[in-house]
């Protein structure tokens, strides 16, 4: 049986999310607090992203190249220009860094972007809600801090220089009191003709200016 101390530690595990900045381009800050010390273990959050939100794989690769984040995006190839209604869900495995002031606290941030929504008749904003992430643990010494951790179906290396997948574990944690919500601006369908006409006229004008400049100063 599981001791009461282990049960209390498992119940005390929490993970919270916070959206920073405004508009389409935001930062997601994830914080986790374990019920007891997780020394010698890597901590990560498995985050489910609905179709209205995406992580730019090119931006993520640049951050990883500069050692600013450690994350795995599933799938790793996505269309960043696709609108919400033609996109699919994504899964982000985000490595959390230890808090130097708290032995059982971890956190990390990653840029998020809102997708364009289908034009609406009345609503000027669409609310996209982020579900609470799943807390994951991978211990290098093979010893878990509590018996409530169960094997998780995650095929990713532990963020410690390993290139081969290792065994990750997950546990039930206390959900946040309020999940973050991304407010995405939506275009009005009654403005469709005006937007299309303005875009066409702007394209024709700019193309004419480029063509004129090429004929006067450049060569074909």
């Amino acid at each position: 049986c599981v001791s009461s101390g282990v049960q209390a530690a498992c119940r005390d595990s929490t993970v919270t999310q916070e959206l920073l900045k405004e508009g389409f381009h935001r930062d997601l800050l994830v914080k986790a607090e374990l019920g007891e010390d997780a020394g010698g273990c890597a901590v990560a959050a498995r985050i489910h992203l609905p179709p209205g939100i995406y992580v730019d794989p090119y931006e993520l690769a640049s951050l990883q190249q500069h050692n600013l984040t450690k994350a795995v995006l599933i799938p790793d190839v996505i269309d960043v220009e696709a609108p919400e209604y033609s996109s699919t869900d994504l899964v982000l495995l985000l490595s959390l860094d230890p808090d130097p002031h708290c032995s059982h606290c971890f956190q990390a941030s990653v840029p998020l972007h809102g997708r364009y929504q289908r034009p609406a008749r009345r609503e000027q904003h669409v609310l996209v809600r982020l579900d609470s992430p799943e807390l994951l643990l991978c211990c290098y010494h093979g010893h878990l801090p509590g018996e409530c951790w169960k094997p998780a179906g995650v095929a990713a290396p532990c963020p410690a220089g390993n290139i081969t997948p290792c065994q990750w574990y997950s546990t039930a944690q206390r959900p946040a009191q309020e999940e973050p919500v991304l407010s995405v601006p939506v275009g009005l369908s009654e403005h469709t003709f005006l937007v299309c006409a303005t875009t066409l006229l702007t394209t024709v004008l700019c193309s004419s200016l480029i063509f004129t400049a090429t004929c006067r100063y450049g060569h074909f």
Side-chain angles (χ1 to χ4, degrees):
C1 62
V2 182
S3 67
S4 59
V6 171
Q7 290 178 345
C10 294
R11 288 196 299 266
D12 287 342
S13 297
T14 61
V15 58
T16 58
Q17 301 177 106
E18 181 182 357
L19 284 170
L20 308 177
K21 303 180 181 178
E22 298 293 337
F24 277 94
H25 310 288
R26 312 287 289 271
D27 284 340
L28 177 65
L29 176 62
V30 181
K31 296 181 179 181
E33 184 174 350
L34 303 183
E36 56 184 330
D37 190 359
C41 298
V43 180
R46 180 159 53 180
I47 306 168
H48 170 259
L49 301 178
I53 303 176
Y54 73 94
V55 173
D56 189 335
Y58 305 103
E59 183 180 23
L60 188 62
S62 177
L63 293 174
Q64 291 176 329
Q65 185 178 8
H66 293 85
N67 200 30
L68 297 177
T69 189
K70 296 177 183 177
V72 176
L73 185 62
I74 305 172
D76 57 353
V77 178
I78 63 172
D79 185 357
V80 299
E81 301 294 338
E84 179 272 339
Y85 48 86
S86 63
S87 304
T88 58
D89 295 359
L90 301 173
V91 174
L92 180 69
L93 183 63
L94 179 64
S95 175
L96 306 184
D97 297 322
D99 186 338
H101 305 292
C102 176
S103 61
H104 52 275
C105 301
F106 302 81
Q107 67 178 16
S109 63
V110 64
L112 288 185
H113 307 279
R115 290 191 183 275
Y116 291 109
Q117 304 282 326
R118 191 184 299 275
R121 291 183 178 273
R122 297 183 180 87
E123 297 82 1
Q124 296 186 4
H125 290 83
V126 169
L127 302 181
V128 182
R129 186 177 302 276
L130 277 172
D131 294 333
S132 181
E134 181 183 6
L135 196 58
L136 301 173
L137 204 65
C138 175
C139 297
Y140 314 125
H141 46 58
H143 176 68
L144 293 171
E147 297 180 20
C148 55
W149 294 87
K150 305 299 181 183
V154 176
C158 288
N162 298 333
I163 59 175
T164 58
C166 60
Q167 180 61 64
W168 287 88
Y169 294 85
S170 64
T171 187
Q173 70 272 346
R174 288 190 289 126
Q177 295 181 353
E178 184 177 352
E179 301 299 345
V181 176
L182 177 65
S183 179
V184 181
V186 178
L188 298 178
S189 55
E190 62 187 36
H191 296 161
T192 301
F193 177 78
L194 178 61
V195 172
C196 291
T198 303
T199 302
L200 178 60
L201 291 176
T202 302
T203 302
V204 171
L205 176 60
C206 293
S207 299
S208 301
L209 293 175
I210 294 173
F211 181 76
T212 303
T214 302
C215 291
R216 180 176 298 181
Y217 305 107
H219 300 281
F220 289 101

